[in-house]
């Protein structure tokens, strides 16, 4: 088996870079809550191939930051909510975190990671968390800022707090009545004062899909920017024709009511899922994303900020993540513009030109072409219990009502659950047992739009050896010819 170190010189000669016009103020969220993620360096290649110049991370994985080093991609690193209490209570902990996750990788030169923001928490004021983070966010923010200043990075890197859209309320659902939730008044004033002092932007989620699901006044057409949508009229002759603009101006109005009318807004996440719920499909997501990109490229403002659109927008998300929480619904695992293996789900203009398709991840290494299905020749009276066991430890979100596999009947739905578990456990033989009901097959059981996925080979040896053998074979054939 060729050594990985011997392969890379050959591979270097074969790799080429694609250079084209970049789109400003557009980034993507790169989440890693997946059982078999693509290797970070392959993800960075994907970002660069699609002219994506900014990325938001939800943690600070050193392998990811190493891969981003030298890429010239602007990076927002994240601090998980689970760390807020520690960072609030300890300046030393904040200094250690900054040293280990920022200073080690940051560089204004081409060699390091171009870290632009540190996101303290991820939607810590979301209503599902209650008040557990209210008392620790501001302290964590101040300590992280102090740690950056001590590392001489205070003027280089902004400290921000991404907020959920439910941090803002409006009795009428319109900007004229918008304000921050009453339980956040004191904390929000402290946060906004901090952001204003350090010239940091206001990070907030805008999710037309969730608005459509949760608000009976938001139609599908209104969420999708369609001209057929019934407009919503606010005071002072302001009219809203889509959910994105309305939610954005709710944030503008809340900031103004709090005394910060000019604070710049960054859309911390916006997107449309492609599976796991009704109206969550690649076709619908493409309609939404194309309309959003058209607005971004046109630099279209809103009623309250006609000349001042969001300074940045982060698309949520780069990939599907099969281990995200599905408390809100199965769609939470299907926000990706790309599938888990880096294959584009639809066409969207990230700056590569509207006539071009997205560039997929290259040389992706999969596990063998094997699936686990139910053996119809066995006693299946206990199959339902086995399905519940499988889905509790694997991803069955495509079976959710409205999902791409929701129309499967028995035994297809059982086989889907078995295969999901089997793939997430690296196709280990005993992971297709299920009390003797499982059967390993080399015949793809996918039906129509319902895909029975094969997972990625994330073992380092497997990935390196297969890629190297492929390219060495190409080189050998070239020499012989």
């Amino acid at each position: 088996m060729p050594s990985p170190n011997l392969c890379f010189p050959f591979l270097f000669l074969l790799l080429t870079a694609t250079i084209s016009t970049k789109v400003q103020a557009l980034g993507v969220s790169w989440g890693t809550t997946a059982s078999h993620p693509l290797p970070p360096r392959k993800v960075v290649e994907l970002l660069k191939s699609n002219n994506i110049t900014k990325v938001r991370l939800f943690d600070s994985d050193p392998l990811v930051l190493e891969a981003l080093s030298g890429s010239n991609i602007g990076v927002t690193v994240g601090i998980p909510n689970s760390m807020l209490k520690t960072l609030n209570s300890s300046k030393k902990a904040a200094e250690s975190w900054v040293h280990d996750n920022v200073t080690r990788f940051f560089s204004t030169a081409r060699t390091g990671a171009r870290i632009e923001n540190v996101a303290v928490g991820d939607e810590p004021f979301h209503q599902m968390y209650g008040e557990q983070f209210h008392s620790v966010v501001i302290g964590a923010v101040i300590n992280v800022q102090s740690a950056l200043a001590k590392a001489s990075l205070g003027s280089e890197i902004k400290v921000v707090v991404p907020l959920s859209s439910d941090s803002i309320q409006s009795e009428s659902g319109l900007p004229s009545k918008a304000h921050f939730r009453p339980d956040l008044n004191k904390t929000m004033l402290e946060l906004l004062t901090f952001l204003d002092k350090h010239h940091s932007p206001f990070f907030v989620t805008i999710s037309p899909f969730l608005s459509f699901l949760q608000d009976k006044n938001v139609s599908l057409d209104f969420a999708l920017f369609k001209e057929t949508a019934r407009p919503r009229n606010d005071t002072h002759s302001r009219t809203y024709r889509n959910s994105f603009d309305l939610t954005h101006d709710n944030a503008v109005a809340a900031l103004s009511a709090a005394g910060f009318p000019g604070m710049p807004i960054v859309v911390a996440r916006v997107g449309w899922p492609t599976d796991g719920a009704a109206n969550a499909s690649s076709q619908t997501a493409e309609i939404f994303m194309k309309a959003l990109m058209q607005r971004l490229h046109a630099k279209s403002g809103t009623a309250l900020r006609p000349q001042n659109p969001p300074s940045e927008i982060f698309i949520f998300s780069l990939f599907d993540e099969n281990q995200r929480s599905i408390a809100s619904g199965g769609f939470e695992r299907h926000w990706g513009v790309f599938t888990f293996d880096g294959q584009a789900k639809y066409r969207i203009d990230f700056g590569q030109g509207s006539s071009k398709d997205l560039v997929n991840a290259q040389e992706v290494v999969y596990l063998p072409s094997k699936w686990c299905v139910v053996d119809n020749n066995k006693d299946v009276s206990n199959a339902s219990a086995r399905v519940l066991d499988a889905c509790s430890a694997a991803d069955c979100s495509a079976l959710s009502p409205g999902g791409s596999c929701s129309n499967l009947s028995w035994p297809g739905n059982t086989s889907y659950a078995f295969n999901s578990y089997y793939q997430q456990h690296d196709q280990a033989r005993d992971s297709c047992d299920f009390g003797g009901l499982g059967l390993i097959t080399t015949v793809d059981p996918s039906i129509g739009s319902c895909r029975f996925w094969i997972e990625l080979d994330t073992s380092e040896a497997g990935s390196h050896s297969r890629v190297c053998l492929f390219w060495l074979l190409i080189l050998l054939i070239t020499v012989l010819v």
Side-chain angles (χ1 to χ4, degrees):
M1 195 68 69
S3 167
N5 293 331
L6 295 176
C7 293
F8 290 124
F10 290 101
L11 299 181
F12 179 79
L13 296 173
L14 296 167
L15 294 175
T16 58
T18 302
I19 302 176
S20 58
T21 305
K22 294 181 180 179
V23 176
Q24 295 181 346
L26 176 64
V28 295
S29 299
W30 174 2
T32 55
T33 315
S35 61
H36 294 67
L38 276 171
R41 293 198 180 279
K42 195 170 290 295
V43 177
V44 173
E45 291 173 10
L46 181 71
L47 294 171
K48 294 169 71 174
S49 296
N50 289 288
N51 303 300
I52 298 171
T53 59
K54 292 180 183 290
V55 65
R56 179 190 169 197
L57 309 177
F58 295 93
D59 52 23
S60 53
D61 186 330
L63 294 178
V64 171
L65 290 171
E66 285 174 6
L68 285 164
S69 295
S71 67
N72 201 35
I73 294 172
V75 182
T76 296
V77 295
I79 297 176
N81 292 336
S82 59
M83 293 189 64
L84 296 179
K85 185 176 180 180
T86 299
L87 296 177
N88 167 70
S89 61
S90 172
K91 288 185 178 181
K92 187 173 182 179
E95 291 171 3
S96 296
W97 187 91
V98 167
H99 174 270
D100 295 342
N101 301 286
V102 179
T103 311
R104 281 177 54 200
F105 302 100
F106 176 83
S107 175
T108 54
R110 286 276 190 172
T111 54
R114 188 160 64 88
I115 299 174
E116 298 177 333
N117 305 298
V118 173
V120 180
D122 181 31
E123 301 187 344
F125 301 145
H126 197 292
Q127 287 181 313
M128 67 179 175
Y129 298 129
E131 297 186 1
Q132 62 175 303
F133 299 121
H134 288 199
S135 63
V136 296
V137 169
I138 303 304
V141 163
I142 292 172
N143 286 342
V144 169
Q145 179 68 49
S146 297
L148 288 171
K150 188 173 182 178
S152 300
L153 296 174
S155 61
E156 301 281 352
I157 298 173
K158 302 296 185 184
V159 177
V160 299
V161 178
L163 299 180
S164 55
S165 56
D166 72 359
S167 300
I168 301 164
Q169 290 182 339
S170 173
E171 286 71 24
S172 65
L174 295 167
S176 60
K177 297 290 185 180
H179 56 85
F180 290 109
R181 289 201 325 259
D183 61 298
L184 292 176
N185 281 344
K186 180 177 181 295
T187 303
M188 193 59 65
L189 182 59
E190 292 176 330
L191 175 59
L192 296 177
T193 300
F194 171 89
L195 296 177
D196 186 59
K197 176 181 177 181
H198 295 281
H199 308 289
S200 296
F202 180 77
F203 270 51
V204 65
T205 291
I206 295 181
S207 183
F209 178 78
L210 292 180
S211 296
F212 165 66
L213 284 187
Q214 300 167 1
D215 187 345
K216 58 181 176 50
N217 294 315
V218 176
S219 68
L220 183 61
D221 284 358
F222 193 73
L224 293 175
F225 298 93
K226 289 194 174 182
E227 294 182 0
T228 53
R230 181 180 178 181
R232 299 186 65 182
N233 298 316
D234 202 359
T235 57
H236 305 293
S237 301
R238 290 193 294 263
T239 298
Y240 292 94
R241 302 185 183 280
N242 62 77
S243 179
F244 181 90
D245 287 0
L246 189 151
T247 306
H248 174 274
D249 277 6
N250 278 342
V252 173
L255 287 170
S256 297
F260 300 88
M263 183 169 288
I265 290 176
V266 169
V267 179
R269 67 169 84 186
V270 61
W272 197 279
T274 59
D275 205 343
N279 297 299
S281 67
S282 296
Q283 294 81 6
T284 309
E286 181 172 10
I287 293 170
F288 174 81
M289 295 298 292
K290 281 186 172 179
L292 179 64
M293 290 302 102
Q294 287 172 1
R295 293 185 61 77
L296 177 61
H297 297 323
K299 294 182 170 56
S300 301
T302 60
L304 290 182
R305 289 191 177 177
Q307 306 300 324
N308 190 18
S311 57
E312 292 179 0
I313 292 178
F314 288 95
I315 302 301
F316 187 75
S317 183
L318 187 58
F319 302 117
D320 287 348
E321 299 170 72
N322 64 359
Q323 292 187 333
R324 277 181 58 81
S325 169
I326 55 173
S328 300
F331 59 85
E332 288 288 358
R333 294 178 174 174
H334 301 278
W335 290 99
V337 175
F338 294 87
T339 52
F340 70 98
D341 53 350
Q343 309 306 299
K345 299 179 185 178
Y346 46 81
R347 301 181 72 175
I348 178 179
D349 181 10
F350 274 133
Q352 74 277 17
S354 58
S355 62
K356 295 184 179 180
D357 292 331
L358 290 172
V359 179
N360 294 328
Q362 304 299 308
E363 285 93 50
V364 178
V365 183
Y366 297 89
L367 294 172
S369 296
K370 296 189 296 182
W371 297 263
C372 178
V373 297
V374 66
D375 188 345
N376 292 327
N377 296 318
K378 298 292 179 66
D379 178 7
V380 294
S381 58
N382 197 34
S384 296
R386 299 295 180 179
V387 168
L388 291 175
D389 290 341
C391 289
S392 67
D395 179 25
C396 297
S397 54
L399 295 173
S400 303
S404 61
C405 300
S406 60
N407 291 327
L408 288 183
S409 56
W410 193 93
N413 49 11
T414 301
S415 291
Y416 186 92
F418 284 8
N419 184 66
S420 180
Y421 184 91
Y422 176 65
Q423 300 298 336
Q424 287 201 27
H425 289 78
D426 297 311
Q427 298 184 350
R429 178 171 290 276
D430 60 358
S431 66
C432 187
D433 183 45
F434 299 106
L437 296 181
L439 174 68
I440 297 174
T441 178
T442 56
V443 179
D444 187 352
S446 299
I447 303 173
S449 61
C450 177
R451 293 283 307 279
F452 281 59
W453 297 100
I454 294 175
E455 271 294 359
L456 303 181
D457 184 347
T458 54
S459 65
E460 184 176 358
S463 299
H464 281 312
S465 62
R466 293 187 193 187
V467 171
C468 290
L469 282 173
F470 172 80
W471 284 113
L472 289 175
L473 179 61
I474 295 296
L475 285 171
L476 178 60
I477 293 173
T478 303
V479 171
L480 291 175
V481 170

